[in-house]
Amino acid sequence: MPDIVSITDLTKTYGSGFQALKSVSLDIRAGEILALLGPNGAGKTTLISTVCGITRPTSGRVTVGGHDILDDYRAARRLIGLVPQEITLEPFERVINTVRFSRGLFGLGPDDAHVERVLRQLSLWDKKDSKVVELSGGMKRRVLIAKALSHEPRVLFLDEPTAGVDVELRKDMWRVVADLKADGVTIILTTHYIEEAEAIADRIGIIAKGEILLVEDKAALLKRMGQKQMVIELQSPVNAVPDGLGDFDLDLGPEGTLVYTYDTRANRTGITKLLSALSGAGLTLRDVQTRQSSLEDIFVNLVKEDAA
Amino acid sequence: MNLQAVRAIYVFEMARTFRTLLQSIVSPVLSTSLYFVVFGAAIGSRIDEVEGVSYGAFIVPGLMMLSVLQQSVSNAAFGIYFPKFIGTIYELLSAPASFIEITAGYVLAAATKSLMIGLIILATSFAFVDISVQHPLWMLAFLVLTCLSFSLFGFIIGIWAQNFEQLQLVPLLIVTPLVFLGGSFYSISMLPPAWQTVTLFNPVVYLVSGFRWSFFGASDVPVVWSLLAIALFTALCVGVIAWIFRTGYRIRK
Ligand SMILES: Nc1ncnc2c1ncn2[C@@H]1O[C@H](COP(=O)(O)OP(=O)(O)OP(=O)(O)O)[C@@H](O)[C@H]1O
Ligand SMILES: [Mg+2]
């Protein structure tokens, strides 16, 4: 698949001197759903804002649909829809008018049929004449999405679309996202939650401290995420993996312990087999601990690898 | 050109104006009436005529200018400050629209509102004084040009302002004094010669003078100067706005 968004060596240093993006390169494939995961302050919003034209890049190059976002900003931006992280809406205007406004702003003529379709899709049709202040937070977020969809974008950026959103609405949103994907729209969303990325993304990118640490197919990454480790403390510490246990994914841990890595998602974890093999080898257990590699661990590991 | 964007901004901003129509109209009508009572009736009864026009009628162009300038500056300033303040400016910045289209949308809307108010004040003054407009088309032209150029100025103020105090500072501290000292309520020729010279540095003098000429056929400075002054001021504002959008001054981080 061709890349619809191509980011090359993008850096962003804010006026305060803070470097929020450090040479980010990222290619986004047409029609995919890419989830950007990262802790607070990682640079997710900065990255999106730069691609969309809200902040200026300090250096580097970004193209959308082959159009440079600076030299050919009109063509680039026409393709983009943005749902910002913060709920920012004109409070006293009616829902339908704010949506029509967005469509016009992006250079498209009035099309009431399309606006109605979008509002219905987001269950906002019966609120179309309400003022924005009269809506609940979740509804306001839907209005933001409606605004972005009003101008028929080919690339949709959703910056933490599910922050402060209940389960029902979250499901609604994923349904809308699935519909858009079916129409060939490319979707980039940011989130703090691995489950969210898991539920919906084709690929997952991890960003921390202004750097993209990895971009991987969801399946491969989740496999890594699903790994769990069992630390086995023996009656008498060992200084090598004992003979006869070579078939197991065992490593030497600190203080003469053994560390067994297994996949929680696999049909068989192999724990029973390992335990019997251990006693077969004449080893006595003192204590057993398990720990799951969390997103946090992956971050930490990746950052460490990065520094090394 | 993304004319749809201009149209969208214009329609959206005009909707705001019509939502608050009553308060937009009541206050200028009320303050104009007060001016007529104070200047026209109280002071005017002691000043017979200025340049052959009754004092009450003489101040009408000045009163219109006073409101139109204040309204243009504050409407346009508020129009662009508000999205900045509540954050909806993200949409303008991410839209496939250049500074020309964004500015045109906001400035045209602000100018339309102040034009309406100017005409309402004119209508109100018919209730108080007897006046006729000698050059109605020129009157309209001066009014429209003034609305546009000072809305451009207001747009700059709105981008520059970082809080509500700053937003009100310029209309209050600069525009109002300039209008009062710009011959709105007197003829420049009534001043001592030294002050007449100083006054010529006040841009509002040229506006009021030209505008008054369209009413009564007499002016403090040649009409061409008035037109030049508006053109110069407009060009200056456009230049500043182009620079703002090129550098992202106070809007794009
Ligand atoms: N306007 C600004 N001026 C200076 N620094 C900024 C500005 N905006 C963001 N930053 C800094 O840049 C870094 C990245 O911020 P950004 O908003 O992109 O993070 P994020 O990944 O979206 O975080 P979150 O998950 O909290 O939304 C942060 O350290 C933030 O403090
Ligand atoms: Mg963010």
Side-chain angles (χ1 to χ4, degrees):
Chain A
M1 263 187 289
D3 295 329
I4 187 144
V5 178
S6 176
I7 302 170
T8 316
D9 298 330
L10 182 67
T11 69
K12 173 65 191 179
T13 306
Y14 280 109
S16 60
F18 181 81
Q19 191 174 22
L21 295 178
K22 302 167 189 162
S23 194
V24 167
S25 294
L26 175 65
D27 291 320
I28 299 166
R29 300 168 191 157
E32 76 170 336
I33 299 180
L34 174 72
L36 274 179
L37 276 162
N40 288 130
K44 303 181 294 293
T45 300
T46 303
L47 180 61
I48 289 181
S49 301
T50 311
V51 176
C52 295
I54 296 164
T55 54
R56 316 173 150 257
T58 304
S59 67
R61 185 179 143 84
V62 181
T63 61
V64 179
H67 308 287
D68 188 279
I69 58 159
L70 296 179
D71 299 337
D72 197 4
Y73 69 95
R74 282 183 200 268
R77 291 184 195 169
R78 250 182 240 282
L79 299 172
I80 299 177
L82 167 64
V83 180
Q85 180 173 3
E86 310 278 337
I87 293 183
T88 46
L89 286 166
E90 175 88 25
F92 304 111
E93 192 46 87
R94 298 188 190 286
V95 168
I96 193 159
N97 290 341
T98 68
V99 175
R100 284 179 178 148
F101 170 74
S102 301
R103 185 174 169 87
L105 194 61
F106 276 70
L108 300 181
D111 180 348
D112 283 343
H114 179 74
V115 169
E116 178 174 345
R117 200 158 49 241
V118 167
L119 287 176
R120 283 193 189 281
Q121 190 181 18
L122 289 156
S123 320
L124 279 172
W125 184 243
D126 54 337
K127 295 284 178 192
K128 67 180 192 305
D129 292 319
S130 301
K131 288 183 181 162
V132 169
V133 275
E134 296 162 0
L135 302 181
S136 74
M139 289 177 193
K140 284 184 194 149
R141 197 167 281 285
R142 277 186 269 181
V143 175
L144 282 179
I145 300 177
K147 280 166 76 75
L149 296 183
S150 71
H151 47 84
E152 305 167 38
R154 300 309 298 157
V155 183
L156 182 66
F157 289 92
L158 295 160
D159 199 353
E160 287 182 44
T162 52
V165 155
D166 69 15
V167 182
E168 206 52 40
L169 177 51
R170 199 171 295 206
K171 277 191 202 148
D172 275 4
M173 269 184 198
W174 296 153
R175 195 175 34 75
V176 172
V177 166
D179 288 352
L180 289 168
K181 184 182 158 75
D183 287 343
V185 176
T186 307
I187 294 152
I188 296 95
L189 62 99
T190 71
T191 176
H192 294 134
Y193 308 114
I194 185 77
E195 310 84 57
E196 193 158 297
E198 183 178 353
I200 195 158
D202 299 315
R203 283 200 305 161
I204 295 176
I206 293 182
I207 177 169
K209 299 201 178 93
E211 286 176 284
I212 300 264
L213 301 179
L214 65 81
V215 182
E216 242 175 65
D217 279 335
K218 175 174 71 177
L221 185 65
L222 288 179
K223 186 152 175 271
R224 272 214 275 168
M225 300 286 306
Q227 283 184 346
K228 212 164 173 180
Q229 292 182 321
M230 185 164 73
V231 181
I232 305 161
E233 202 179 323
L234 299 164
Q235 205 66 46
S236 42
V238 292
N239 46 27
V241 176
D243 294 338
L245 298 176
D247 288 348
F248 297 94
D249 188 359
L250 276 174
D251 293 302
L252 208 55
E255 294 164 30
T257 56
L258 289 171
V259 179
Y260 175 58
T261 306
Y262 60 98
D263 187 352
T264 50
R265 288 156 201 265
N267 280 338
R268 292 166 183 280
T269 57
I271 293 175
T272 323
K273 249 176 153 178
L274 173 66
L275 292 181
S276 57
L278 281 170
S279 61
L283 297 165
T284 317
L285 299 183
R286 220 174 102 97
D287 195 6
V288 173
Q289 280 174 19
T290 62
R291 58 170 191 233
Q292 182 143 28
S293 50
S294 63
L295 187 55
E296 204 67 36
D297 294 335
I298 290 210
F299 283 140
V300 171
N301 286 337
L302 285 167
V303 174
K304 258 198 222 146
E305 279 168 30
D306 212 54
Chain B
M1 269 300 258
N2 181 352
L3 288 178
Q4 290 291 351
V6 180
R7 186 177 156 280
I9 295 172
Y10 184 81
V11 168
F12 201 72
E13 287 300 298
M14 288 315 289
R16 190 206 308 288
T17 299
F18 288 115
R19 270 204 302 276
T20 55
L21 192 61
L22 207 61
Q23 74 215 51
S24 315
I25 290 172
V26 166
S27 87
V29 170
L30 188 72
S31 59
T32 308
S33 306
L34 285 175
Y35 280 115
F36 273 119
V37 172
V38 174
F39 285 102
I43 301 176
S45 62
R46 291 165 186 264
I47 308 174
D48 248 10
E49 282 192 346
V50 182
E51 291 167 359
V53 183
S54 82
Y55 186 68
F58 178 81
I59 62 172
V60 170
L63 276 180
M64 286 174 71
M65 275 292 161
L66 176 65
S67 284
V68 161
L69 293 194
Q70 284 172 336
Q71 289 285 332
S72 299
V73 174
S74 53
N75 291 342
F78 184 78
I80 189 68
Y81 179 78
F82 194 56
K84 229 174 55 162
F85 179 67
I86 62 172
T88 50
I89 194 157
Y90 85 86
E91 211 177 5
L92 296 173
L93 296 178
S94 62
S98 73
F99 88 91
I100 299 173
E101 292 131 13
I102 293 175
T103 308
Y106 281 99
V107 166
L108 286 175
T112 305
K113 184 177 173 187
S114 44
L115 180 66
M116 284 174 6
I117 287 168
L119 293 174
I120 288 168
I121 291 174
L122 182 61
T124 313
S125 42
F126 285 127
F128 289 89
V129 292
D130 225 4
I131 49 170
S132 58
V133 182
Q134 281 196 10
H135 309 286
L137 283 183
W138 276 110
M139 190 276 284
L140 213 57
F142 268 112
L143 196 58
V144 169
L145 286 174
T146 306
C147 290
L148 285 173
S149 59
F150 276 77
S151 296
L152 280 169
F153 180 61
F155 188 81
I156 297 171
I157 301 303
I159 286 176
W160 165 80
Q162 287 174 309
N163 52 52
F164 277 100
E165 283 73 35
Q166 290 184 346
L167 197 62
Q168 285 163 345
L169 207 64
V170 171
L172 222 60
L173 241 53
I174 301 180
V175 177
T176 308
L178 283 183
V179 177
F180 270 92
L181 300 175
S184 307
F185 305 111
Y186 53 87
S187 164
I188 302 295
S189 59
M190 292 158 86
L191 294 175
W195 280 107
Q196 287 191 24
T197 315
V198 172
T199 303
L200 291 180
F201 290 98
N202 178 353
V204 176
V205 166
Y206 301 90
L207 294 179
V208 173
S209 166
F211 196 47
R212 191 177 287 136
W213 166 83
S214 71
F215 276 76
F216 309 121
S219 60
D220 288 331
V221 294
V223 178
V224 183
W225 287 20
S226 299
L227 288 171
L228 274 177
I230 297 183
L232 199 72
F233 187 64
T234 307
L236 199 71
C237 291
V238 170
V240 172
I241 292 170
W243 173 83
I244 283 173
F245 276 85
R246 205 174 53 244
T247 58
Y249 174 76
R250 289 205 176 161
I251 46 172
R252 199 173 257 134
K253 287 174 211 118

